[in-house]
Amino acid sequence: MTAPQPSEDPTTTAAADDGPAPQEAPAARRRRGAGLGGLLPVLALSLLTVLVLLTGYLAWELRQQALTADARTEGIAAARDAARVLFSYDHESLDEDFAAGLALAGGEFREEYERTTRDVVRPVAEQYDAVVEASVVDAAVVSAAPDRITALVFLNQQTTSTRVEGPKIDQSRVRMELVRDGDDWRVVEVSAL
């Protein structure tokens, strides 16, 4: 005995191939659209992340600009004060004068200042009873960052000594690099121009 064979009805096959597509079930439509719906929260989160990062960067940039503006103001005042101290001395108070200058110096300049005042300035000042008084004529900031400035300082040095008759005035320009050290500023480089 043979199993009955399903009969193929040509009208059924043709109708399946040529007829209108059956209606899609609502659940199938939801699954197919879920890809786009799932993408929207990811895009929104990405956009929010970019906005937060951009806002943070802009806040940081504004803070840096404010710190740089403060550095300009504080640094130029420190440069003026430091120039008066570093370039003034009296043969009768060399230890105090050089100690005051050393307190304002930092980095390699500190060693250079100590060596120059000890080996060059002190012997000449003592030999000729020299008194040098520096006064700042003008000063300007060349460049600034939150913790560093470069200043150009114009100063006059009035010298009296046994070597020359009457006071002598020397006009100088110096380029000074200062760095922030806590609440203070230290001179780390001086170049005569």
Side-chain angles (χ1 to χ4, degrees):
M1 191 157 157
T2 59
Q5 296 289 325
S7 69
E8 284 191 33
D9 182 5
T11 58
T12 311
T13 308
D17 291 342
D18 294 337
Q23 288 271 335
E24 194 173 30
R29 279 194 304 256
R30 281 193 301 270
R31 279 192 303 271
R32 192 181 60 181
L36 182 58
L39 186 59
L40 289 176
V42 171
L43 288 174
L45 184 60
S46 297
L47 181 59
L48 182 62
T49 302
V50 168
L51 288 174
V52 167
L53 291 173
L54 183 59
T55 302
Y57 172 76
L58 291 175
W60 177 83
E61 185 65 32
L62 288 172
R63 177 73 175 140
Q64 292 300 103
Q65 289 177 7
L67 290 173
T68 300
D70 290 346
R72 286 178 164 278
T73 303
E74 296 169 12
I76 198 66
R80 288 173 164 274
D81 293 342
R84 281 190 286 273
V85 172
L86 292 172
F87 299 107
S88 297
Y89 56 87
D90 185 325
H91 70 96
E92 292 181 352
S93 59
L94 292 176
D95 290 336
E96 294 85 3
D97 296 341
F98 296 156
L102 202 57
L104 300 173
E108 292 179 17
F109 176 69
R110 183 179 173 84
E111 296 168 13
E112 181 183 335
Y113 178 79
E114 186 174 29
R115 185 176 47 254
T116 301
T117 54
R118 180 189 63 232
D119 299 341
V120 178
V121 178
R122 179 181 293 276
V124 173
E126 290 175 341
Q127 181 179 359
Y128 296 107
D129 296 336
V131 176
V132 177
E133 188 176 336
S135 60
V136 174
V137 176
D138 203 0
V141 175
V142 175
S143 65
D147 60 350
R148 181 180 209 93
I149 72 151
T150 302
L152 180 60
V153 181
F154 296 86
L155 47 94
N156 291 339
Q157 287 178 292
Q158 179 175 310
T159 304
T160 56
S161 71
T162 59
R163 188 174 188 183
V164 293
E165 196 170 310
K168 177 184 173 212
I169 296 180
D170 292 310
Q171 297 176 328
S172 304
R173 292 178 304 186
V174 292
R175 180 180 173 270
M176 300 175 73
E177 294 274 339
L178 291 91
V179 296
R180 187 184 299 274
D181 181 16
D183 291 336
D184 298 321
W185 288 86
R186 300 280 180 250
V187 178
V188 294
E189 185 178 332
V190 174
S191 307
L193 302 175

